[in-house]
Amino acid sequence: MIQRIQTVYLLLTSIVSVGIIFVFNLWKSTDKSIFALDLLNSDTSLLKAIPVLFLISATLAFVAIFLFKNRKLQFVIGRLTILINLILLGLLMYVSLTLPGEAAVSEKGIGMFVPILAVLLLVLANKAIKKDEDLVKSADRLR
């Protein structure tokens, strides 16, 4: 439901993960800025995996919003999305350290750190989901 705080966190995670593809650049080389969507046309599958992982992360976070009746599954999907974002963060760090032409001027963009924000939001959402689950369990004990 929309009035729950974890819904807000999950929606923000979804927006941030999708927004990275269009708004923030991942890195800037001497001639142009590289966005996540541009990596779909790259030669290596390692670079193609980056926008796919962003889309999977956004989709899972958005799907988790509608699983409010099944809090345990919502919690598991939140953890899975955290894992995907950590893999994505590691992949982005690996790619940034092995960029071709690193001796030339290249800047890391803000898009490299968006998975950290997504993980933070997902941790807050999972904490709120756990709090709801504990509240329901305590109410069931009283009956």
Side-chain angles (χ1 to χ4, degrees), residues 29-92:
S29 61
T30 55
D31 52 349
K32 65 176 187 170
S33 294
I34 304 296
F35 292 90
L37 201 56
D38 298 335
L39 296 178
L40 283 174
N41 298 330
S42 65
D43 296 336
T44 64
S45 61
L46 188 68
L47 291 177
K48 287 182 182 181
I50 292 172
V52 171
L53 286 174
F54 273 122
L55 289 174
I56 290 172
S57 170
T59 304
L60 284 177
F62 192 71
V63 165
I65 293 171
F66 299 105
L67 296 173
F68 59 89
K69 290 184 180 179
N70 191 351
R71 285 175 298 280
K72 289 180 184 179
L73 182 60
Q74 191 179 31
F75 188 77
V76 168
I77 288 181
R79 289 245 173 142
L80 181 65
T81 310
I82 289 172
L83 181 66
I84 288 171
N85 276 304
L86 289 175
I87 290 170
L88 182 61
L89 182 64
L91 186 63
L92 284 171

